[in-house]
Each structure stands twice: as C-alpha cells, then as structure tokens.
Amino acid sequence: MNDAIKIRRHAKATITNALVKGSGPIDNLIDLTDGKGTADNASSLSVTNEATDVTAEENKGTCTATVNFVSGNTGCELDFAWTGYSL
C-alpha cells in the first residue's frame, strides 16, 4: 500500500478518531500531496498508528495541515450505526 490515508490537492479534511492497523508495507501513513499539489492547509487529522512496517508517518509537502499522532483512537464502530444506514 502506498498511503493508508490520502488527501488530494485542494481537498479539506477533518478526520478524528482514525485508527490504522495491519501489517505489510505502507510508504506514507498519511499523504497530503499528489502530483499536482497539496491538500487544503485547514485540514486536521487525529490518527493512532497501530500498523507495522510504515516507512514514513506523513508526507505533507508544503501543506501546513494539522496532523496529530495520538494513542487511543478506536476508529469507527464496526456496526456502522453511526452512519444512519442499515446494511
């Protein structure tokens, strides 16, 4: 996998309670760039990294988004009830 979380150019993202788990190589845990620019500087991410074999935690380029690596994020609920949809 190249990127666990990818925010493309000009996109503004607010991500809270993100949890990245698993094994296998990941080039960038969070990538805020693509070939034509960076994500919106107002983006904000809170991420817990439980993945193994991560080459770099972030690739921000010139983006000044707020990226916080924290412990204890649990990710979304497995039943997806938070979406309001039933599957």
Side-chain angles (χ1 to χ4, degrees):
M1 175 181 293
N2 287 336
D3 310 309
I5 298 173
K6 175 80 166 186
I7 312 297
R8 296 191 60 179
R9 67 187 167 280
H10 309 298
K12 179 182 174 187
T14 301
I15 299 175
T16 58
N17 195 31
L19 172 62
V20 178
K21 296 176 76 170
S23 59
I26 300 172
D27 290 340
N28 298 292
L29 190 69
I30 298 170
D31 192 347
L32 298 166
T33 67
D34 67 20
K36 295 185 180 181
T38 64
D40 189 298
N41 289 329
S43 295
S44 173
L45 297 88
S46 171
V47 180
T48 296
N49 177 18
E50 292 184 6
T52 59
D53 199 12
V54 176
T55 302
E57 285 199 313
E58 62 185 44
N59 177 17
K60 291 175 85 172
T62 59
C63 183
T64 59
T66 301
V67 177
N68 293 308
F69 294 100
V70 299
S71 60
N73 283 351
T74 57
C76 69
E77 298 173 16
L78 295 178
D79 64 7
F80 292 95
W82 58 272
T83 66
Y85 292 97
S86 60
L87 303 173

